[in-house]
Amino acid sequence: MNDASGDKFHISLKLGDGSSNGTDCFEWWCFQYDTLIILEALAMFLCLVGSFGNLITVLAILFSSLRFSVNCILIGSLSFAGFLYCSLIISMQAVIFHRTSHKIPHDFCSAAGGIRYTLTGVIMAHLAVIALYRFLNFVYINTYRYMSEKRQLIISLVVCWLLPCFFTIPPVVGVWGAYQFQSQILSCTFAKSADQSNRFAMVTAGFIIPCVFIIYCYARIGCTAYSNFKHVRRWQGNSSKADTIRISTMMMFIFLIFFLGTFPFFVLHVIDKEFKHPIHHIWTTMFAWVMYCCNPVVYTLMDTDFRMAYKQVFMRNCKKNAMQAAGTTRATSV
């Protein structure tokens, strides 16, 4: 009996914060070595796959005529945000799973939480802006042409990257809400003791409202396409209209994947603020990570231009003069 107690105390020291203060570990994961190893392996795998896939997408757009398409520019910016998330946030989480500590420096965790939710907001903002451009391209073509001008496009990209900071920076500096390491779920997230209004504002303005807006845009596109279905013969030979529907369908799938991946995560963070069900927080987080890695797969399966661009990257045969091919690819017309 004494030997068993001594072993338990020794393991508690080993799983502590690495210091010699003898702090015990009382979390559910303290002696779940196999579970932690699996979580670490999954995080590392998703980090590598997500980073590689999103980076290849960015390179494929940069080194092909896709970079002259407004929609592909937005997709490239979206993929770069996904690359940052996978390479920074998921890799950091893998280190936390490996370290198995119930104490993380406060300043580090505040910065990590800020970056994490900022990138999530950036991805959501990109999906909303892409839906807006798809909607304008299909319904209000003159407005789309105006929004596709260089100045308006740059403004749209800047808004996508800076707007989420309005909600995520205040908790970092402790002005409105706070981020804290929650040992129950081994993650830097919203602090239970801080003002919860920031959490609800972030979920509402950063997730619910954009989702409603995106659903509206794609619903309008679907209704317009259906109403014109009787005149489908008029579309014969109109590759621009057909490409608009194809690209809109692809981006709708991208949004649905993101929605299905992040909806359980955000709902659970609102309902279970005390982290009484930590295992659910972990699996919903990892499910969202899987969705972040799926975008390149959708591009490959649904778009011929992306398949050609990926092939150019892998074959190291990037076009020397992409301007010459700008008129031959369907993507440049949408």
Side-chain angles (χ1 to χ4, degrees):
M1 185 68 181
N2 293 335
D3 294 338
S5 301
D7 291 340
K8 182 176 180 180
F9 180 73
H10 176 72
I11 295 173
S12 298
L13 283 174
K14 187 176 181 180
L15 288 173
D17 59 1
S19 63
S20 59
N21 54 10
T23 302
D24 291 337
C25 177
F26 299 103
E27 302 297 345
W28 65 270
W29 45 262
C30 291
F31 307 106
Q32 299 292 332
Y33 303 111
D34 294 338
T35 301
L36 293 173
I37 291 175
I38 293 174
L39 292 176
E40 179 185 352
L42 287 174
M44 293 176 62
F45 175 77
L46 293 175
C47 173
L48 294 175
V49 172
S51 299
F52 177 78
N54 284 288
L55 181 60
I56 288 297
T57 302
V58 174
L59 294 177
I61 293 173
L62 288 177
F63 292 105
S64 72
S65 57
L66 293 178
R67 68 178 183 271
F68 301 108
S69 165
V70 172
N71 190 73
C72 291
I73 292 174
L74 293 171
I75 291 177
S77 184
L78 169 65
S79 298
F80 183 67
F83 166 74
L84 291 178
Y85 189 98
C86 293
S87 59
L88 296 178
I89 303 303
I90 301 183
S91 62
M92 180 195 66
Q93 193 62 52
V95 173
I96 293 178
F97 287 145
H98 178 77
R99 190 169 180 262
T100 57
S101 173
H102 58 280
K103 288 186 178 180
I104 298 292
H106 175 73
D107 293 339
F108 172 83
C109 211
S110 294
I115 296 173
R116 174 187 183 183
Y117 288 107
T118 297
L119 291 175
T120 302
V122 168
I123 294 173
M124 190 76 241
H126 274 86
L127 293 174
V129 170
I130 289 174
L132 173 63
Y133 272 81
R134 293 292 87 214
F135 168 71
L136 295 176
N137 190 18
F138 198 83
V139 181
Y140 301 107
I141 187 63
N142 291 329
T143 306
Y144 171 78
R145 290 169 180 167
Y146 171 76
M147 292 295 295
S148 299
E149 295 177 0
K150 183 177 180 180
R151 181 172 178 270
Q152 281 69 243
L153 182 59
I154 292 176
I155 292 176
S156 298
L157 291 173
V158 171
V159 169
C160 288
W161 283 93
L162 295 184
L163 182 61
C165 296
F166 176 79
F167 299 96
T168 58
I169 290 182
V172 174
V173 297
V175 175
W176 182 27
Y179 300 119
Q180 186 179 15
F181 182 72
Q182 303 296 340
S183 59
Q184 303 98 312
I185 59 175
L186 287 168
S187 179
C188 296
T189 184
F190 301 101
K192 295 182 291 185
S193 58
D195 183 9
Q196 298 298 309
S197 61
N198 176 268
R199 177 187 295 195
F200 287 101
M202 191 180 301
V203 172
T204 302
F207 183 74
I208 296 178
I209 293 178
C211 283
V212 173
F213 174 77
I214 293 171
I215 292 173
Y216 168 79
C217 289
Y218 287 120
R220 283 291 306 274
I221 292 174
C223 291
T224 304
Y226 179 78
S227 63
N228 293 333
F229 183 74
K230 295 180 181 180
H231 308 284
V232 69
R233 292 182 180 178
R234 294 169 49 190
W235 290 8
Q236 293 180 354
N238 190 345
S239 60
S240 177
K241 181 67 69 174
D243 286 340
T244 300
I245 296 177
R246 175 178 56 84
I247 296 295
S248 298
T249 302
M250 181 181 70
M251 297 316 302
M252 182 181 66
F253 273 104
I254 295 294
F255 162 69
L256 290 177
I257 289 174
F258 180 85
F259 177 81
L260 292 175
T262 55
F263 180 75
F265 171 82
F266 279 106
V267 170
L268 189 62
H269 267 66
V270 172
I271 296 177
D272 186 19
K273 297 187 294 291
E274 299 296 327
F275 306 105
K276 296 180 180 179
H277 307 283
I279 193 64
H280 295 312
H281 286 270
I282 292 178
W283 77 257
T284 54
T285 299
M286 287 206 161
F287 188 62
W289 293 349
V290 173
M291 299 300 102
Y292 292 157
C293 301
C294 288
N295 290 1
V297 177
V298 177
Y299 302 145
T300 303
L301 295 177
M302 300 190 64
D303 194 277
T304 303
D305 297 322
F306 270 98
R307 288 198 294 270
M308 295 175 60
Y310 288 140
K311 183 178 179 180
Q312 291 170 11
V313 173
F314 288 125
M315 298 299 292
R316 299 182 181 180
N317 187 29
C318 299
K319 295 179 181 178
K320 296 181 180 179
N321 189 2
M323 287 293 295
Q324 295 179 355
T328 62
T329 180
R330 294 176 299 166
T332 55
S333 63
V334 293

